[in-house]
Amino acid sequence: MTKKLTRDDLLTAYRTMRTIREFEERLHTDFATGEIPGFVHLYAGEEASATGVCMNLTKDDHIASTHRGHGHCIAKGVDPVGMMAEIWGRKTGTCKGKGGSMHIADLSVGMLGANGIVGGGGPLVCGTALAAKLRGTRNVSVCFFGDGASNQGTIFEAMNLASVWNLPVIFLAENNGYAEATSYNYSVACDTIADRASAFGMPGITVDGFDFFAVHEAAGEAIERARNGGGPSLVEVKLSRYYGHFEGDQQTYRAPGEVQNIRDTKDCLLQFSRRVTASGELAQADLDAIDAEVKALIDGSVVKAKSDPKPTEADLLTDVYVSY
Amino acid sequence: MARKITYQQAINEALDQEMARDQNVIVMGEDVAGGSGAPGEQDAWGGVLGVTRGLYAKHPGRVIDTPISESGYVGAAIGAACCGMRPVAELMFVDFLGVCFDQIFNQAAKFRYMFGGKAETPVVIRAMYGAGFRAAAQHSQCLYNIFTHIPGLKVVVPSNPYDAKGLLIQSIRDNDPVIFLEHKALYTMEGEVPEELYTVPFGEAAVVREGHDVTIVAFGRMVLKAQEAAADLQKQGIHCEIIDPRTTSPLDTDTILESVEKTGRLVVVDESHPRCSMASDIAGLVAEQAFDSLKAPIRQVTGFHAPVPFSDALEELYIPSAAKIVAAVKSVKEYK
Amino acid sequence: MSAIQTITMPKWGLSMQEGKVNGWLKQVGDAVEQGQEIVEVESEKIAGAVEAGATGVLRRQLANEEDVLPVGGLLGVIADASVSDADIDAFVADFLSNFKPAEGAEEDQGPTTQKIEVNGHKLRYLKRGDSGKSGEPMLLIHGFGGDLNNWLFNHEALAADREVYALDLPGHGESTKDVGEGNLAALADTVAAFLDAVGVTSAHLVGHSMGGAVSLTVALRHPEKVRSLSLIGSAGLGSEINTGYIQGFVSAANRNALKPLLADLFADSSLVTRQLVDDLLKYKRLEGVGQALSTLSGNLFADGRQNSVMADQLAALGKPVLVIWGEEDRIIPVAHAHAVSGKVQVEVLGNRGHMVQMEAANDVNRAIARFVG
């Protein structure tokens, strides 16, 4: 059993989820103006997953993320101001404007990168976990992936490898029901992604991804097991994304009212707020204060991103190699 | 006289000495030890051709057999490199690139750039390449040109035991991802190799033979074919300069251009398929940058735009021969 | 004994199997004297000149420029003018029909290098000649960054009537790269211990450059081990030295950096072959060499000067001293040749540089042979 969440933990959880939501909502709005280059894939709706998992991790644990990576970045401790600048293509961005939304990474906080290749992260976390195991550090690695990636060979290979080598890896399947525009019901051959765990000799569990507490507890157990040498686990988190696969996707493949219904009834922030205020663990004023601070942070990040310089020609050929 | 060992022994020694020097160096791949989980001998194979044999016992826990799962373990090597390990992953035959290329070219190669210079991925991927073993189309390709195309990768093609050891040590110590390609036909080649550790820097071609008539640029095993051809041509009064770039990325363009400026004639010998090859790359480079020095058209001696065939009758036709190099050199020497 | 003398492809070093003709210095019909340079040839490692073995007339050139011949292959023929063309043609035909090149290195290795443990250093050395011969033993000591191959053109000739050792100093060649304290005293003590280890009680020391300073130091610290000193382009005789060369050599990491430096070693910079540059790079890239060279240069040549000048201490030793210098030495000035007091023979060779024992091997060999008697 994981340890009881303190008041500070709850404040942190809320702040993290709210930061992700605010960040993504703001991108949704700003993207529509046409000022943001490229693609963005928003994480809004899935905040309880990244937050519930990453609150069990330290800076020295590693995560691999997906093309829908902003939430994982924020939850793992990447600076949202740098992220915003990155997404706006600025030199001040986390990756100097060379990576963009799909490649935000910060190895200094154990964030191995969002990834433009679906399923790309599975093998990578086997490596960070192998390093931890060889060095005896007790660090763990988490591979976030979606229901789409759950069908990729890299994920199968990685699950097999992690099990064969008894690595401290958590395969964290975020099943939001859609791989781009194709339904999970069509593309995944088994009932739950967690069912696949048994094929690789590891525990598998499915949890409600709208419930921060459920995710935190399930991931926490798996992470603790991994830290103690108990090997890998597969945790499937069922949730929903509020926006399209990418910004501009009208989501015509979804049922009428599907998203609105989820927002109204299951939203992770809504559920969290009700529970902690009803229990008296936090006051509404605590949450309101965080909301205001987060809004100021994100507003500030956008103002800064808009005014920050873009990279120049001098930056075009730097950072290809350490030395060449 | 300095000690002589084989190309294969030179690679084994480089791995052994680097593993002893740095605990972060690990070796992983299919049957790099062999026998894992089996009831019989451990280190049963030491690599499919025995190149890593003996390392398993000398460096306990750091010579790791993998499942046949190239994406999985090559990606794991890359991930481990991201947090400071120096893994040497063996992709048995370079042809198996097909099942793990994403991890190499979309992940390892691009991390540093995509992440704004904040990542270092000091991984080495070793692989055998080349024809001549009746191994047919899926176990005989060269493919260094494909890696060379990708920014972020360094590509090494040693042609002799001395270079193999020094370049492999450099590869392991290098902070970028390195593809280290070993020609199967060179494994038994003997040469003088110092017992000490040493490095051969990347991007520094070797001038294997000096001459003033024709420049031959050759890669890997083709350096030997070029030497054979040059010895023959010498008897006919044609003096070839042979350049072995040693690494295709970075490429020592200066040494090639300087030589062509001296000889005015260029033959490039590349075992791989001709299209978008190192041969065509270097021909393009010289045509663009040393056009005024050229006294004759550039000739390329390469494999064919066809898979490597199985039958010895066909494979021998496929592989560039010394005779073909001789003919190409003569044609450019005699060009009016 | 025929009055017809052959000029054949020499064997310079153990690995040489063939050589290339770079050009003739004498033409057919020219009178030549024994010891005169006749034809320039080049091995993979080094370029040099072949001398006439007899006085006479150059009657035939049997190889053209750029021709490659095996070791022992016939380059030319010297004979008196009185010998008929027919006799010469018959001689040549006979030579060519009987000549068989050595079957690769395995067949004809001659003496090979050995390793010996001395004062915690593993030292490589090469012994030539026979201890049964009349002459007293000799030891050849190379300079900074060199190795026993620096004596390629001297070793065999000097070993004609004595045993001659050449060693790699610590930090050099194939010896241990750890130089310990890395000063002249430490090197000299290692050399003295080396002589003990190979069972030589005392020897004629021949030192080149830094090896000369090492020889001097051996004579000062272990006088009983030294019969005479032959100092070639030697350090230790004055304070000036081309520290640009020393520092450049220590730091040069690639061919382009090293090659122009090496040109300073020879009066004729065309002697710097690509192979020479490549071999030195290979040496410099060995683990520990950078540290060894830095330590030595820091101790011996700090602040742009030689830190140890022993010229005035020599007279008191009472040892015979031969000093040989290339007049165009660009590393250590030729003026130092005259700095030694006491009973000293001095030979200054015009038109030669710092590597005078390579550039004028025959002159140097003759001078040393005469000197040691």
Side-chain angles (χ1 to χ4, degrees), chain C residues 130-317:
Chain C
D130 187 345
S131 52
K133 294 264 179 67
S134 58
E136 296 140 348
M138 181 181 281
L139 174 63
L140 311 175
I141 307 173
H142 63 79
F144 181 76
D147 65 17
L148 55 80
N149 290 315
N150 290 168
W151 307 105
L152 205 59
F153 301 141
N154 317 101
H155 200 162
E156 194 166 3
L158 293 171
D161 46 21
R162 70 188 70 246
E163 54 180 344
V164 178
Y165 295 84
L167 88 168
D168 290 341
L169 290 169
H172 291 79
E174 292 182 24
S175 290
T176 308
K177 298 305 175 296
D178 175 16
V179 295
E181 288 180 38
N183 52 30
L184 286 175
L187 291 174
D189 291 351
T190 301
V191 168
F194 168 78
L195 288 173
D196 286 340
V198 295
V200 172
T201 45
S202 68
H204 298 286
L205 300 192
V206 178
H208 174 242
S209 196
M210 181 187 79
V214 172
S215 305
L216 274 164
T217 312
V218 176
L220 292 167
R221 291 172 70 87
H222 308 277
E224 73 288 355
K225 297 220 166 298
V226 179
R227 289 170 184 266
S228 74
L229 291 171
S230 296
L231 307 175
I232 305 172
S234 181
L237 302 178
S239 61
E240 296 85 3
I241 188 164
N242 179 351
T243 44
Y245 169 81
I246 300 285
Q247 284 157 11
F249 185 84
V250 173
S251 64
N254 56 47
R255 199 156 46 214
N256 289 343
L258 190 59
K259 191 172 181 188
L261 290 167
L262 298 182
D264 270 352
L265 290 174
F266 298 90
D268 175 4
S269 58
S270 71
L271 294 175
V272 181
T273 61
R274 186 174 283 275
Q275 187 69 41
L276 179 71
V277 180
D278 285 351
D279 283 353
L280 276 169
L281 274 179
K282 282 185 176 179
Y283 157 68
K284 280 184 52 70
R285 284 168 179 164
L286 294 174
E287 195 106 312
V289 168
Q291 182 60 49
L293 293 178
S294 296
T295 302
L296 287 171
S297 66
N299 287 336
L300 273 55
F301 312 121
D303 308 320
R305 318 180 62 73
Q306 296 191 45
N307 300 111
S308 192
V309 179
M310 295 163 276
D312 55 355
Q313 298 172 54
L314 262 185
L317 275 173

Side-chain angles (χ1 to χ4, degrees), chain B residues 12 49 56-57 69 81 96 215 232 284 303 319 322:
Chain B
N12 183 287
L49 295 185
Y56 177 82
S69 201
F96 304 166
T215 300
D232 187 6
I319 301 168

Side-chain angles (χ1 to χ4, degrees), chain C residues 298-353:
Chain C
N299 287 336
L300 273 55
F301 312 121
D303 308 320
R305 318 180 62 73
Q306 296 191 45
N307 300 111
S308 192
V309 179
M310 295 163 276
D312 55 355
Q313 298 172 54
L314 262 185
L317 275 173
K319 306 279 184 195
V321 178
L322 168 67
V323 176
I324 300 175
W325 227 282
E327 194 169 23
E328 293 179 24
D329 193 323
R330 294 197 290 273
I331 307 298
I332 303 178
V334 65
H336 293 193
H338 304 290
V340 186
S341 55
K343 248 185 73 180
V344 175
Q345 291 182 39
V346 178
E347 296 254 4
V348 174
L349 298 170
N351 228 3
R352 309 298 184 187

